[in-house]
């Protein structure tokens, strides 16, 4: 009976033309964490409240209602609408933070498209620019680093895939070098830095192996140079033995051609 009564109450509200009544119940449902109901009612009342004192709060609650439903993309759009409309509003800082944080929570597996990850990063950067002294600034910075690591990992997986493909349907070692180099430029402090540099050493060795005679000496020297880059940073690294093998081969080849 209570359920039926509750459903009847909500259905009557949907048909009502009283925006203030709908708003009061929307806040009640929001506080009860009935976010689907609060969002449905708020979608209607924000249109009525334009120019009224309730407009700002109702828009923020609408964004939070979608956030509560874990519809982070829609929530982010409404948070953006809020802080764009009310850049100095009461909830402007929270709107910027939760807009970015929702996209962070919704950020997909590194193997998938990372558009939301990029958008979350941009929103966190703006948040830190606007509120550098906020109590949430440290959390925002930590999340920012985490998201950048996810992008670095995606690049590492791509570089590793190119390396593993080898000469399948073409020479993929060059693509491995380019991808790894771009990743190192974009994310110089990534925890995958050693793996990326090693992939460059290994790929340049493989490029030398299949190179035409006219380019052999240059390719061998690139292997030697990349080996020194790796050893300068990781003298006790995980791939020292393998890298040394590539170096020995390349340096011997250079000596034999002089």
């Amino acid at each position: 009976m209570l359920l039926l009564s509750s459903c009847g109450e909500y259905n009557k509200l949907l048909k009502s033309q009283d925006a203030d009544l709908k708003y009061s119940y929307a806040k009640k449902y929001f506080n009860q964490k009935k976010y689907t109901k609060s969002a449905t009612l708020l979608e209607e009342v924000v249109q009525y409240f334009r120019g009224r004192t309730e407009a700002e709060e109702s828009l923020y609650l609408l964004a939070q209602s979608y956030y509560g439903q874990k519809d982070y993309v829609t929530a982010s759009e409404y948070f953006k609408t809020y802080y764009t409309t009310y850049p100095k509003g009461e909830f402007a800082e929270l709107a910027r933070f939760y807009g970015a944080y929702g996209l962070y929570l919704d950020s997909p597996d590194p193997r998938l498209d990372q558009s939301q990850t990029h958008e979350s990063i941009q929103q966190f950067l703006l948040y830190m620019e606007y509120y550098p002294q906020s109590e949430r600034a440290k959390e925002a910075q930590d999340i920012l680093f985490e998201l950048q690591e996810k992008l670095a990992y995606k690049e590492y997986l791509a570089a590793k895939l190119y390396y593993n493909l080898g000469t399948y349907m073409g020479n993929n070692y060059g693509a491995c070098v380019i991808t790894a180099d771009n990743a190192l430029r974009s994310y110089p402090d990534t925890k995958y830095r050693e793996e990326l540099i090693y992939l460059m050493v290994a790929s340049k060795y493989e490029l030398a192996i299949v190179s035409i005679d006219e380019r052999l000496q240059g390719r061998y020297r690139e292997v030697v140079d990349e080996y020194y880059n790796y050893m300068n940073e990781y003298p006790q690294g995980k791939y020292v033995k393998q890298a040394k093998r590539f170096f020995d081969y390349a340096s011997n080849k250079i000596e034999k051609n002089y």
Side-chain angles (χ1 to χ4, degrees), residues 8-16 21-22 25 29 41:
E9 170 190 83
Y10 179 66
N11 287 330
K12 287 180 181 178
L13 283 168
L14 291 176
K15 297 175 183 177
S16 174
L21 179 65
K22 286 185 175 183
Y25 271 90
Y29 290 138
L41 293 174

Side-chain angles (χ1 to χ4, degrees), residues 1-2 7 46 72 82 114 127-128 153 159-160 164 168 207-208 214 221 232 255:
M1 289 179 66
L2 287 171
C7 289
V46 292
Y72 299 120
Y82 174 88
Q114 294 299 303
Y127 174 81
M128 292 171 64
Y153 182 55
K160 189 176 180 181
N164 290 337
Y168 177 71
L207 282 170
E214 290 79 1
R221 280 192 285 271
N232 284 338
E255 290 170 2

Side-chain angles (χ1 to χ4, degrees), residues 11 16-17 19-20 23 27 29 42 51 55 68 73 78 102 123 135 142 145 161 200 205 209-210 216 232 248:
N11 287 330
S16 174
Q17 298 299 312
D20 293 302
Y23 187 45
K27 290 197 287 186
Y29 290 138
L42 287 164
V73 174
Y78 276 114
Q123 290 197 24
E135 61 183 21
D142 290 343
F145 289 150
L161 177 61
M200 292 182 69
Y205 166 79
I209 293 298
V210 299
L216 270 176
N232 284 338
D248 288 342

Side-chain angles (χ1 to χ4, degrees), residues 12-209:
K12 287 180 181 178
L13 283 168
L14 291 176
K15 297 175 183 177
S16 174
Q17 298 299 312
D18 189 335
D20 293 302
L21 179 65
K22 286 185 175 183
Y23 187 45
S24 66
Y25 271 90
K27 290 197 287 186
K28 172 187 169 183
Y29 290 138
F30 180 84
N31 291 329
Q32 293 174 346
K33 298 184 179 181
K34 297 178 180 178
Y35 299 119
T36 302
K37 289 184 176 181
S38 64
T40 301
L41 293 174
L42 287 164
E43 284 278 9
E44 296 185 31
V45 300
V46 292
Q47 307 298 324
Y48 290 102
F49 286 165
R50 287 179 180 174
R52 289 179 48 174
T53 55
E54 297 91 341
E56 182 180 340
E57 183 187 49
S58 64
L59 181 56
Y60 178 72
L61 287 178
L62 177 57
Q64 283 287 8
S65 293
Y66 280 109
Y67 186 89
Q69 295 178 64
K70 299 184 179 180
D71 182 352
Y72 299 120
V73 174
T74 304
S76 181
E77 288 300 316
Y78 276 114
F79 281 129
K80 188 174 183 178
T81 300
Y82 174 88
Y83 62 70
T84 301
T85 308
Y86 307 102
K88 296 183 179 180
E90 180 182 355
F91 310 104
E93 180 186 341
L94 289 172
R96 283 191 178 274
F97 181 83
Y98 282 112
Y101 193 79
L103 293 177
Y104 156 69
L105 293 176
D106 211 33
S107 179
D109 182 274
R111 295 167 180 80
L112 302 176
D113 178 70
Q114 294 299 303
S115 297
Q116 284 182 224
T117 304
H118 284 287
E119 180 61 25
S120 181
I121 287 173
Q122 290 305 312
Q123 290 197 24
F124 272 120
L125 287 171
L126 285 171
Y127 174 81
M128 292 171 64
E129 181 180 334
Y130 278 92
Y131 307 102
Q133 304 303 319
S134 168
E135 61 183 21
R136 298 177 184 82
K138 177 63 168 59
E139 182 180 4
Q141 187 175 52
D142 290 343
I143 293 172
L144 188 60
F145 289 150
E146 182 183 338
L147 291 171
Q148 289 174 332
E149 276 296 276
K150 176 180 280 192
L151 296 178
Y153 182 55
K154 182 177 178 66
E155 293 303 302
Y156 164 65
L157 290 177
K160 189 176 180 181
L161 177 61
Y162 282 127
Y163 181 78
N164 290 337
L165 286 171
T167 55
Y168 177 71
M169 296 184 70
N171 190 336
N172 294 288
Y173 295 118
C176 177
V177 171
I178 292 170
T179 303
D181 186 54
N182 288 339
L184 289 166
R185 293 174 188 274
S186 299
Y187 314 105
D189 300 318
T190 176
K191 62 184 178 183
Y192 305 105
R193 183 174 179 84
E194 181 180 357
E195 283 73 13
L196 288 163
I197 295 176
Y198 170 72
L199 281 175
M200 292 182 69
V201 178
S203 291
K204 288 190 175 182
Y205 166 79
E206 297 293 346
L207 282 170
I209 293 298

